[in-house]
Amino acid sequence: MTNKQRAPNLESLMRRRIGDLPDGKAMQLIGTIIDMGGDERSSAALDHADGLLAQLAERGLPDRDVSRAHYFRANIWSAKRRASPDCSAWLWKSEHIDGEILELRKALGHPGFAKFDPVERAQIHTNLGNVLNHTGRFIEAIEYWDRALASVPRFAMAWGNRGIGLGYYAGSLYDPGHHAVMMIAAFESMLPSISAGMDEGPGPPAVIRHFNLIKQEFCAARYALYEGMNSAGVHFSDRGVLLYNTLDYPTLGFAVERMKMAFRGAYAVFDKVAFLLNDYLNLGIPDRQVNFRNLWFVKGKGKTLHPSLDGLANWPLRGLFWLSKDIHEEGVREVTEPDARELYELRNHMEHKFVSVHDGFLRSMSPNSVEASESGIFDISITDLITKTLRQLKLSRAAIIYLSLGIHVEEKRRFETRGSKMISVPMILPVWEDKWKRLD
């Protein structure tokens, strides 16, 4: 091979300027530098590529290239994470992972994403699934791999990573018989065996009662949404209730309130999960102060991760931590799925202000609009309320699965730590029969 035929090396690529290159060629050059910089674990090359993307953005890129630039930045964060000396450590907080997730979501949420060909869309969905799976959010990862396969049914990268992810998921289950139907079994099964000291009392550990109540409240919220969506006619509790026509076509009645109850019930799962984990992991947060936002951190020290969690090799519990970031970190929440972005604000209005539900068609003809910022009212259509409640139920369901499997992993660790000299006496708890689930 002559010098003219030899492929350019990384250093020569980094010396090239993009000022005279058209957008497409410039993006191609930057992509090559990122790929080669990642292969060679060159932080200098990755930083240089990031700088070139910033230069390119000053031109005012078309939507497709803006979305692709976010994808490229995600690849930079991913390459830096792989090159990091603590890549294989059980990090719960990671600038690299946060950056990769944020940029992939920005790529997905930008209008330019719709202009990608199916393979490019599948690549981004697959990469987001991969990084979510790495954090422990394997439930959501499966959803993104499935989206990739919906774009390109034979996309090998998605198939392969989905298979690996499901394998790890199956390995996390505590009942081998559930592996074949893991998505259902992981939720429908009870908690794994829980060990407790004799000084904790003769009855079962409180964590089991907590978990029972969480599951029951979730199932009730799920049915409340179904009931609200499928109600017909005027409920007897609505008859004779004096209400005034505010001329903005609100939808008032028990059916709508059932859907609001469903949302609140599903959202409440998070803080109940936090209360359970605070007790189970002995994190020491006062009962009146524990919630899903502050569970993970040392009180009074900002975002300092609790020492009991930092470095803990527990994949599902780490998934719960990253799930909390979607809900409570404003910068992260802004780039979540469109139907999940306003969940926190909607819940805040339901609990402390007002939520007005309307019929979208009738509202379009109303001369009277509602401004939430002025009146404390979160105005939402029935369709949007249903969509957001379904999203909330899905997130809550994932949290329950992560909780259950996270405790299983922790129980295995505790068993191995105790050693063989400890004596344990089994307590077999009977199942609460369906026929007992009644008031009369």
Side-chain angles (χ1 to χ4, degrees), residues 30 34 45-55 73 76 80:
I30 295 170
I34 294 171
L46 296 171
D47 290 338
H48 180 71
D50 193 36
L52 292 179
L53 286 172
Q55 291 180 35
R73 288 193 183 94
I76 291 172
K80 286 184 175 181

Side-chain angles (χ1 to χ4, degrees), residues 191-305:
L191 276 175
S193 298
I194 303 291
S195 298
M198 295 297 292
D199 58 345
E200 294 183 30
V207 63
I208 296 179
R209 294 194 292 272
H210 293 162
F211 192 75
N212 269 354
L213 294 170
I214 289 172
K215 283 183 62 178
Q216 180 60 67
E217 291 178 22
F218 171 84
C219 291
R222 182 177 59 183
Y223 184 73
L225 176 63
Y226 170 81
E227 195 173 51
M229 290 170 59
N230 291 279
S231 64
V234 178
H235 194 270
F236 71 86
S237 67
D238 291 324
R239 299 185 186 279
V241 177
L242 179 61
L243 301 171
Y244 294 99
N245 185 354
T246 53
L247 305 179
D248 57 344
Y249 293 100
T251 300
L252 301 169
F254 185 68
V256 170
E257 295 308 315
R258 292 292 284 173
M259 288 188 272
K260 291 182 185 179
M261 293 175 195
F263 183 92
R264 285 196 293 265
Y267 202 102
V269 164
F270 291 141
D271 284 346
K272 295 175 190 294
V273 166
F275 188 95
L276 185 156
L277 284 174
N278 181 56
D279 180 57
Y280 175 71
L281 297 173
N282 297 311
L283 299 180
I285 304 173
D287 288 353
R288 290 180 177 270
Q289 299 176 21
V290 64
N291 57 55
F292 201 54
R293 180 201 294 266
N294 68 13
L295 173 73
W296 320 98
F297 308 108
V298 178
K299 183 181 177 181
K301 294 188 177 180
K303 294 296 182 180
T304 301
L305 198 65

Side-chain angles (χ1 to χ4, degrees), residues 18-317:
I18 63 170
D20 298 329
L21 295 177
D23 294 345
K25 291 289 186 181
M27 292 294 288
Q28 185 177 7
L29 171 63
I30 295 170
T32 302
I33 293 174
I34 294 171
D35 289 342
M36 295 181 67
D39 292 341
E40 298 184 18
R41 296 176 177 265
S42 171
S43 295
L46 296 171
D47 290 338
H48 180 71
D50 193 36
L52 292 179
L53 286 172
Q55 291 180 35
L56 201 57
E58 294 176 357
R59 297 184 182 180
L61 295 172
D63 284 347
R64 181 170 175 172
D65 284 337
V66 173
S67 183
R68 182 173 286 115
H70 287 305
Y71 174 51
F72 280 4
R73 288 193 183 94
N75 290 340
I76 291 172
W77 282 115
S78 178
K80 286 184 175 181
R81 172 167 61 88
R82 293 195 304 271
S84 173
D86 53 8
C87 175
S88 58
W90 274 92
L91 296 178
W92 280 51
K93 295 181 68 177
S94 168
E95 179 187 17
H96 298 143
I97 294 175
D98 284 348
E100 184 177 358
I101 292 175
L102 285 172
E103 292 296 342
L104 286 171
R105 283 176 167 169
K106 286 178 181 178
L108 277 171
H110 197 276
F113 180 76
K115 300 179 181 180
F116 286 166
D117 62 54
V119 172
E120 288 179 299
R121 292 198 298 270
Q123 287 174 332
I124 294 175
H125 279 132
T126 299
N127 284 6
L128 184 51
N130 293 347
V131 68
L132 288 175
N133 186 65
H134 175 76
T135 66
R137 296 184 63 182
F138 41 87
I139 306 297
E140 291 90 339
I142 293 169
E143 180 179 348
Y144 282 106
W145 290 324
D146 286 345
R147 291 187 191 182
L149 293 171
S151 295
V152 184
R154 296 182 180 274
F155 195 61
M157 189 188 306
W159 275 117
N161 284 287
R162 188 178 188 276
I164 293 171
L166 288 173
Y168 280 115
Y169 186 176
S172 297
L173 295 179
Y174 36 85
D175 184 348
H178 286 162
H179 289 183
V181 286
M182 62 184 66
M183 290 301 291
I184 299 174
F187 174 67
E188 296 297 342
S189 62
M190 292 296 289
L191 276 175
S193 298
I194 303 291
S195 298
M198 295 297 292
D199 58 345
E200 294 183 30
V207 63
I208 296 179
R209 294 194 292 272
H210 293 162
F211 192 75
N212 269 354
L213 294 170
I214 289 172
K215 283 183 62 178
Q216 180 60 67
E217 291 178 22
F218 171 84
C219 291
R222 182 177 59 183
Y223 184 73
L225 176 63
Y226 170 81
E227 195 173 51
M229 290 170 59
N230 291 279
S231 64
V234 178
H235 194 270
F236 71 86
S237 67
D238 291 324
R239 299 185 186 279
V241 177
L242 179 61
L243 301 171
Y244 294 99
N245 185 354
T246 53
L247 305 179
D248 57 344
Y249 293 100
T251 300
L252 301 169
F254 185 68
V256 170
E257 295 308 315
R258 292 292 284 173
M259 288 188 272
K260 291 182 185 179
M261 293 175 195
F263 183 92
R264 285 196 293 265
Y267 202 102
V269 164
F270 291 141
D271 284 346
K272 295 175 190 294
V273 166
F275 188 95
L276 185 156
L277 284 174
N278 181 56
D279 180 57
Y280 175 71
L281 297 173
N282 297 311
L283 299 180
I285 304 173
D287 288 353
R288 290 180 177 270
Q289 299 176 21
V290 64
N291 57 55
F292 201 54
R293 180 201 294 266
N294 68 13
L295 173 73
W296 320 98
F297 308 108
V298 178
K299 183 181 177 181
K301 294 188 177 180
K303 294 296 182 180
T304 301
L305 198 65
H306 197 286
S308 297
L309 300 174
D310 197 5
L312 183 65
N314 192 313
W315 188 43
L317 283 187

